[in-house]
Amino acid sequence: TPVRVLDLDGHQYIVAMYGECNWSRNLRASRHGRLRLGQRVTECHAEELTGEARLPVFRAYVRRWWSLVGRMSGLTSPDVPDEQLKPVSDKHPVFRLV
């Protein structure tokens, strides 16, 4: 499944922009995955972010790829207040890769 890896503050994150899906459920359950870029495969562990910890990552992800994810997020702008961002981010699993 194609995903975009966000580099933020020295960590890497992935967001399930299509919401709860098979890969996000599998990653949540196993906390282990593989990222492939061309021939390079990287094994990784993942931890799901919850609550307030997910907001800055979700916002950075939406800002970075606004032209691709803006419509599917339902947001009017990547700079909406946290009160508008939180209900949307709750529908999209966010994982930090370790």
Side-chain angles (χ1 to χ4, degrees), residues 8-90:
L8 181 66
D9 299 329
H11 297 282
Q12 292 186 314
Y13 301 90
I14 55 177
V15 175
M17 280 309 298
Y18 290 103
E20 292 289 333
C21 54
N22 286 339
W23 75 258
S24 65
R25 286 189 286 272
N26 289 338
L27 188 57
R28 181 182 293 130
S30 71
R31 296 175 35 135
H32 180 269
R34 288 187 205 106
L35 292 175
R36 181 189 330 249
L37 182 60
Q39 296 295 320
R40 193 175 113 215
V41 177
T42 304
E43 300 284 330
C44 60
H45 291 286
E47 49 189 47
E48 186 170 8
L49 301 182
T50 59
E52 298 299 317
R54 67 189 295 116
L55 283 178
V57 175
F58 187 76
R59 184 181 299 281
Y61 189 94
V62 169
R63 278 185 180 147
R64 171 69 177 90
W65 289 291
W66 177 251
S67 64
L68 299 172
V69 302
R71 286 190 188 141
M72 73 177 69
S73 71
L75 298 168
T76 57
S77 161
D79 300 313
V80 296
D82 285 352
E83 299 80 37
Q84 292 177 23
L85 186 69
K86 184 173 181 347
V88 175
S89 75
D90 287 344

